[in-house]
Amino acid sequence: MSHLLLSNFICCFNNSYKIKKKVFKVKFSKYLIKIIKKLIFLKILKKFFVKKYIINVLINYNYKNVFLKIISKSSLRKFIKLKEIKNDLYFSLISTNKGILTCKEAIKKNIGGEHILYIYVQKSL
């Protein structure tokens, strides 16, 4: 269930970013909120608890290009060892037994895990 919500969130984000929409609505879970809090260019505005759990997410446009891509899917899990984690994957999220971490945090804690999400970010000049 959480992978379906994650893929829905990524589609909503990528489409909203392309058309320069500032706020978009998406269903959420605790897992998804942990991921959104790790992303520096998103902010949760409101949570709605009427029938469906929906949040408003605000996009920060201080970056030239932002693109999210799911690496691990429910049908095909991709795990990454500590040796395979590179510092250039700073904007990747890994699900570990210590919680959801960025690659930099995973290197500091010496743990690997399921490679959930890759985030391509290009800062504007």
Side-chain angles (χ1 to χ4, degrees):
M1 181 65 179
S2 58
H3 281 282
L4 293 174
L5 292 176
L6 181 62
S7 61
N8 182 35
F9 165 76
I10 289 174
C11 289
C12 288
F13 171 78
N14 287 336
N15 292 336
S16 298
Y17 195 86
K18 286 177 187 174
I19 63 171
K20 303 291 183 195
K21 193 173 178 183
K22 291 185 179 182
V23 177
F24 65 96
K25 292 181 181 179
V26 68
K27 287 184 182 180
F28 74 92
S29 65
K30 290 179 184 178
Y31 176 76
L32 188 59
I33 289 192
K34 286 179 186 176
I35 290 175
I36 293 173
K37 287 181 180 178
K38 293 278 184 184
L39 303 178
I40 57 174
F41 47 86
L42 295 177
K43 183 179 177 183
I44 297 172
L45 290 180
K46 290 183 182 176
K47 295 179 187 177
F48 299 103
F49 293 104
V50 182
K51 290 187 181 179
K52 296 178 182 176
Y53 293 95
I54 297 176
I55 53 173
N56 283 345
V57 181
L58 177 70
I59 301 174
N60 181 0
Y61 283 98
N62 291 341
Y63 301 93
K64 188 175 181 183
N65 287 326
V66 176
F67 182 75
L68 303 179
K69 183 180 178 186
I70 293 180
I71 302 297
S72 183
K73 300 175 185 171
S74 57
S75 60
L76 181 63
R77 307 276 184 179
K78 299 280 185 171
F79 291 92
I80 188 166
K81 296 177 184 176
L82 181 64
K83 296 175 187 175
E84 298 169 357
I85 299 175
K86 301 173 187 168
N87 281 330
D88 62 337
L89 291 176
Y90 178 73
F91 290 110
S92 286
L93 295 181
I94 299 174
S95 178
T96 66
N97 57 351
K98 304 287 183 184
I100 296 172
L101 306 173
T102 62
C103 282
K104 193 172 186 178
E105 293 169 342
I107 289 171
K108 285 181 184 176
K109 293 187 177 184
N110 271 349
I111 49 177
E114 184 180 355
H115 195 186
I116 303 172
L117 185 66
Y118 177 73
I119 306 150
Y120 172 76
V121 177
Q122 181 181 3
K123 285 195 172 185
S124 60
L125 300 173

